[in-house]
């Protein structure tokens, strides 16, 4: 993955000090700089292909051992041998740097930096390259940045859009926070005034837009959306700002006391293209905060680390009741599920400003602080996400499992564990052919005793896998031969020993099923009429359910 130093990053004015001043979000941290902080840094390269490319005066990202390991001495010395000006190693949370690594950097005169444990190499590289580009060219060529870190060009863009469209402009991110706006006229409606004064769209307004379908259209459309004037609310034009398929934010045009220009839609389309790199940069500057946020949320939901610290860093009151929902792709879902999950994440985040969403590989984990409605909030969100998934263009079904409301954010891990189990209940009902006509979402209460069954199965699985005897021999031998007998037993046990119903489910003649059941007794010595044997068989076929389907 080694890359040449970026050709568009100038040497002029780019120093280690510049990088540290730009990267002030905690993503990278300086451990030592034997040659001082004014050494030139002209590019960023990855160091996992030894000596393939020049690294002269570059910052080398060493993706191997962490700074806490003595094995990191080797990449430090390799970077120094290639003429690097600095080397970046990853931190291990709670672990100090290895003395040998510090000594190697000191001896070679190489600046040693670390990448935060919650960050990743892709964002670290992008941050450092942005720092070099900013220090080399942007100060001379672009307007100065505003105090909040948003490029001054975004405010200038808002003013230009206002001039071309004849309306009042707000440029917002995907959480409806205002990044820039044009001048507000005295005739501005109350929503615009409260949005600008509060720095974000009011929650009641976001809820209204969600109910009306405007947000659904915004996340899925690539063209200008027109909202006619209604009551005190003036005519509005809206367009999503995108980078490829990813939604970065939106631009809103309001006709404050005057008519919009006939060319306003065309101007807005061009403005969305111009705004995209600005919003990409804004997102890059926020990436460190997002990584820290996700690190804390992941720790809170999975019960890792200090739960009170995680809650505090996420802005959650430890005493606030909450619940966790899990949204996962359905089995066999098309790749479009990734896009569906992205839209569902945006929809969940718009439900309430305090909602926190964690995107994992094939699922979303949603932390929902609840108010007086408590359980009703959870049910409402679960059903809303389920309905939205299949209504999207090219949408695919998902499963939504909701954990119980817990009294405190410190108990979120328990609700998350339960939500995952509810999703497993839905998955098993599908695999056993019992989901037809049933919803694809459920709460812990709706999952019923199936939750406790899964907990029991998880607890006994190690005992089953380590055991032996006739039932074990039957299951292992038959699964190796295709699982015909185990499928038959699963169907038979699932209908409480009703041969006719089990045969119908298996699309067999009842006598064929009776013959298979006799084989279990005659070949393996398994007496299905014995209560203990029947219980063990029930556990066995449930524990091996992932290997076969009762419908196949």
């Amino acid at each position: 993955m080694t890359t040449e130093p970026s050709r568009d990053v100038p040497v002029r004015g780019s120093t280690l000090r510049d990088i540290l001043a730009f990267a002030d979000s905690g993503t990278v941290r300086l451990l030592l700089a034997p040659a001082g902080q004014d050494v030139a840094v002209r590019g960023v390269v990855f160091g996992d292909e030894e000596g393939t490319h020049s690294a002269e005066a570059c910052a080398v990202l060493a993706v191997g051992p962490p700074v806490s390991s003595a094995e990191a001495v080797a990449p430090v010395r390799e970077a120094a041998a290639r003429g690097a000006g600095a080397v970046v190693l990853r931190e291990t949370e709670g672990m100090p740097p290895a003395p040998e690594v510090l000594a190697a950097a000191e001896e070679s005169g190489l600046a040693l930096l670390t990448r935060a444990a919650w960050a990743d190499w892709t964002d670290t590289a992008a941050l450092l390259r942005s720092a070099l580009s900013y220090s080399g060219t942007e100060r001379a060529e672009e307007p100065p940045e505003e105090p909040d870190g948003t490029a001054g060009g975004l405010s200038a863009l808002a003013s230009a859009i206002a001039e071309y469209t004849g309306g009042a402009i707000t440029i917002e991110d995907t959480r409806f926070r205002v990044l820039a706006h044009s001048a507000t006229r005295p005739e501005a409606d109350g929503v615009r005034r409260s949005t600008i004064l509060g720095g974000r769209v009011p929650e009641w307004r976001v809820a209204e837009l969600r109910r009306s379908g405007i947000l659904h259209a915004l996340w899925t459309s690539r063209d200008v959306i027109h909202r006619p004037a209604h009551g005190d609310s003036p005519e509005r034009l809206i367009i999503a700002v995108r980078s490829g398929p990813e939604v970065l934010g939106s631009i809103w045009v309001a006709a404050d006391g005057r008519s919009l220009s006939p060319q306003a839609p065309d101007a807005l389309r061009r403005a969305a293209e111009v705004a995209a790199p600005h919003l990409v940069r804004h997102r890059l500057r926020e990436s460190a905060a997002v990584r820290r946020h996700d690190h804390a949320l992941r720790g809170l939901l999975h019960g890792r680390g200090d739960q009170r610290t995680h809650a505090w860093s996420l802005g959650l009151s430890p005493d606030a009741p909450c619940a966790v929902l899990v949204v996962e792709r359905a089995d066999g879902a098309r790749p479009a599920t990734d896009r569906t999950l992205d839209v569902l994440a945006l929809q969940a985040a718009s439900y309430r400003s305090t909602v926190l969403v964690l995107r994992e590989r094939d699922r979303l984990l949603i932390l929902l602080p609840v108010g007086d409605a408590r359980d009703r909030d959870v049910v409402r969100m679960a059903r809303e996400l389920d309905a939205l998934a299949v209504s999207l263009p090219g949408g695919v079904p998902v499963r939504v499992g909701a954990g119980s409301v817990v009294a405190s954010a410190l108990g979120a891990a328990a609700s998350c564990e339960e939500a995952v189990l509810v999703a497993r209940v839905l998955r098993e009902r599908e695999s056993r052919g019992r989901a037809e006509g049933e919803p694809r979402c459920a709460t812990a209460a709706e999952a019923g005793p199936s939750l406790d069954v899964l907990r029991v199965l998880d607890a006994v699985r190690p005992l089953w896998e380590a055991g032996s005897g006739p039932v074990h021999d039957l299951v292992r031998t038959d699964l190796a031969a295709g699982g015909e007998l185990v499928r038959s037993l699963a169907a038979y046990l699932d209908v409480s020993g009703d041969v006719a119903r089990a045969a119908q489910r298996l699309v067999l003649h009842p006598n064929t099923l009776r013959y298979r059941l006799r084989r279990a007794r005659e070949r393996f010595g398994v007496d299905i009429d014995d209560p203990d044997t029947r219980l063990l068989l029930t556990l066995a076929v449930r524990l091996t359910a992932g290997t076969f389907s009762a419908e196949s």
Side-chain angles (χ1 to χ4, degrees), residues 7-31:
R7 300 298 182 188
D8 57 346
V9 176
V11 178
R12 175 178 59 83
S14 298
T15 66
L16 179 60
R17 189 183 304 279
D18 294 327
I19 290 176
L20 296 173
F22 185 92
D24 57 358
S25 57
T27 303
V28 294
R29 182 167 65 95
L30 178 67
L31 292 187

Side-chain angles (χ1 to χ4, degrees), residues 323-445:
V324 177
L325 294 86
V326 60
V327 181
E328 65 175 30
R329 66 172 78 228
D331 295 335
R334 302 186 300 276
T337 309
D338 289 336
R339 172 63 182 147
T340 300
L341 291 179
D342 288 342
V343 174
L344 294 183
L346 293 172
Q347 184 78 356
S350 72
Y351 191 83
R352 190 175 294 152
S353 63
T354 52
V355 170
L356 302 176
V357 182
L358 180 66
R359 173 66 188 272
E360 295 188 336
R361 181 178 178 183
D362 294 331
R363 66 183 185 182
L364 302 175
L365 299 180
I366 302 167
L367 179 65
L368 172 64
V370 296
D372 296 336
R374 296 178 69 85
D375 294 341
R376 290 197 299 275
D377 279 348
V378 178
V379 172
R380 189 181 300 116
M381 175 178 274
R383 291 177 178 170
E384 186 175 298
L385 295 176
D386 175 38
L388 176 60
V390 294
S391 71
L392 294 171
V396 295
V398 296
R399 285 184 287 266
V400 185
S404 299
V405 175
V406 291
S408 162
L410 303 182
S415 183
C416 182
E417 180 182 5
E418 196 170 59
V420 172
L421 284 175
V422 174
R424 279 179 59 190
V425 168
L426 295 172
R427 189 186 319 142
E428 290 203 0
R429 287 176 179 174
E430 292 172 11
S431 68
R432 296 166 66 194
R434 295 174 56 189
E436 186 175 354
E438 295 183 15
R440 292 176 298 272
C441 63
T443 63

Side-chain angles (χ1 to χ4, degrees), residues 158-350:
S159 298
I161 302 171
E163 181 179 348
Y164 282 106
T165 61
I169 309 299
T170 57
I171 302 176
E172 302 165 9
D173 65 10
T174 55
R175 294 188 70 86
F176 305 103
R177 295 174 298 184
V178 177
L179 304 180
H181 62 87
S182 63
T184 301
R185 295 167 56 88
E187 300 87 351
D189 65 296
V191 172
R192 175 174 171 81
R193 287 195 297 268
S194 61
T195 295
I196 292 174
L197 288 173
R200 60 175 299 122
V201 180
E203 287 190 17
W204 64 266
R205 175 66 163 178
V206 176
E208 178 187 276
L209 294 170
R210 187 177 67 249
R211 288 193 300 269
S212 69
I214 290 291
L215 295 190
H216 182 187
L218 180 63
W219 305 142
T220 57
S221 173
R222 290 183 172 272
D223 205 355
V224 175
I225 299 167
H226 176 248
R227 180 168 184 168
H230 178 73
D232 294 336
S233 180
E235 175 187 14
R236 278 180 165 83
L237 298 178
I238 319 151
I239 193 169
V241 179
R242 297 174 179 272
S243 176
E246 183 180 11
V247 178
L248 302 171
S250 55
I251 305 175
W252 297 67
V253 183
D256 282 353
R258 53 183 174 176
S259 299
L260 297 178
S261 165
Q263 289 76 42
D266 287 338
L268 198 53
R269 294 184 190 97
R270 292 195 300 272
E273 296 177 0
V274 175
H278 289 278
L279 267 64
V280 167
R281 184 173 181 228
H282 170 74
R283 179 166 291 189
L284 179 61
R285 294 295 302 271
E286 282 199 325
S287 64
V290 170
R291 293 287 176 185
R292 283 199 301 271
H293 173 280
D294 286 355
H295 181 73
L297 183 54
R298 186 173 289 107
L300 189 68
L301 296 179
H302 293 299
R304 302 170 188 161
D306 186 332
Q307 302 299 285
R308 190 170 292 275
T309 299
H310 290 326
W312 175 83
S313 64
L314 291 167
L316 294 171
S317 168
D319 300 324
C322 63
V324 177
L325 294 86
V326 60
V327 181
E328 65 175 30
R329 66 172 78 228
D331 295 335
R334 302 186 300 276
T337 309
D338 289 336
R339 172 63 182 147
T340 300
L341 291 179
D342 288 342
V343 174
L344 294 183
L346 293 172
Q347 184 78 356
S350 72

